[in-house]
């Protein structure tokens, strides 16, 4: 733990990249991203909670979730739906993530193509999250809306929660 999250922005390619080596074995890292009982423990920034309504991790499968502040958090709840386009076990997830209303109707223009890669690394797993935005302007709005800080906190929570699971007898 105590590792650094590296964040880079590429306006030309409209990409936000978030990378971190977590002290979690590859298989457990994968399970942390693909099992609802795990993802509900860590998805979202600090002081937020996630509720998974559906998680069908296969090409064409959907992941429907809600994130909302807990009693200490600030902000409005967000409903999202991701559709997986590529799933390579232990290695790669690709999905199109979209904000929705509470009835799961997509919010126009909110699509974010997201690539998650899992690579064995010394002491754990290198996680790389690449989010591609529709425009450079959308990428520019990621930081003011809290997405950059949220990703940092999310990966910290991921490592903490999965480390807790790893250390259970």
């Amino acid at each position: 733990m105590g590792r650094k999250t590296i964040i880079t922005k590429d306006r030309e390619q409209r990409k936000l990249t978030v990378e971190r080596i977590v002290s979690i074995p590859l298989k457990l890292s994968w399970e942390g991203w693909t099992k609802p009982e795990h993802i509900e423990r860590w998805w979202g920034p600090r002081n937020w909670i996630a509720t998974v309504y559906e998680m069908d991790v296969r090409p064409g499968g959907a992941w429907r979730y809600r994130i909302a502040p807990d009693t200490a958090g600030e902000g409005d709840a967000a409903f999202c739906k991701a559709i997986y386009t590529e799933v390579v076990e232990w290695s790669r997830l690709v999905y199109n993530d979209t904000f929705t209303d509470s009835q799961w109707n997509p919010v126009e223009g909110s699509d974010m193509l997201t690539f998650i890669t899992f690579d064995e690394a010394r002491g754990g797993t290198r996680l790389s999250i690449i989010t591609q935005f529709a425009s450079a302007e959308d990428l520019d709005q990621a930081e003011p809306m809290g997405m950059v800080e949220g990703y940092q906190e999310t990966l910290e929570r991921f490592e903490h929660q999965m480390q807790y699971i790893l250390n259970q007898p």
Side-chain angles (χ1 to χ4, degrees):
M1 302 248 288
R3 306 204 183 187
K4 185 176 178 186
T5 302
I6 299 168
I7 298 178
T8 56
K9 290 190 259 184
D10 181 336
R11 283 193 94 246
E12 188 175 307
Q13 294 188 21
R14 307 174 327 272
K15 290 182 180 179
L16 173 67
T17 302
V18 181
E19 296 180 304
R20 183 181 179 102
I21 295 175
V22 295
S23 58
I24 308 299
L26 180 67
K27 184 178 179 195
L28 186 58
S29 290
W30 175 264
E31 289 174 359
W33 280 85
T34 59
K35 294 186 182 264
E37 65 270 22
H38 291 322
I39 212 160
E40 285 186 335
R41 296 171 143 249
W42 62 268
W43 184 248
R46 186 174 31 254
N47 296 322
W48 284 64
I49 54 174
T51 304
V52 175
Y53 296 91
E54 176 182 13
M55 189 168 223
D56 183 7
V57 184
R58 63 175 177 83
W63 171 26
R64 293 182 305 121
Y65 63 94
R66 174 182 179 259
I67 57 172
D70 66 11
T71 56
E74 295 180 20
D76 297 322
F79 289 84
C80 301
K81 181 178 181 180
I83 301 296
Y84 294 97
T85 57
E86 183 180 352
V87 176
V88 180
E89 193 171 39
W90 317 123
S91 177
R92 182 174 162 97
L93 295 169
V94 180
Y95 54 83
N96 192 24
D97 203 5
T98 305
F99 288 108
T100 71
D101 63 20
S102 62
Q103 303 303 305
W104 308 110
N105 299 306
V107 173
E108 189 174 330
S110 68
D111 292 358
M112 295 172 284
L113 185 59
T114 305
F115 304 81
I116 314 292
T117 58
F118 304 78
D119 295 299
E120 284 191 82
R122 186 174 179 185
T125 303
R126 177 184 308 280
L127 292 174
S128 296
I129 306 166
I130 299 172
T131 303
Q132 186 162 29
F133 295 85
S135 69
E137 292 73 27
D138 289 347
L139 169 61
D140 291 341
Q141 289 304 307
E143 195 156 6
M145 74 181 253
M147 191 171 183
V148 171
E149 183 180 357
Y151 264 142
Q152 287 175 307
E153 292 176 359
T154 295
L155 288 180
E156 289 169 7
R157 292 180 68 198
F158 170 79
E159 186 166 19
H160 177 78
Q161 289 297 323
M162 298 312 289
Q163 191 68 46
Y164 175 80
I165 290 167
L166 184 64
N167 291 325
Q168 291 301 299

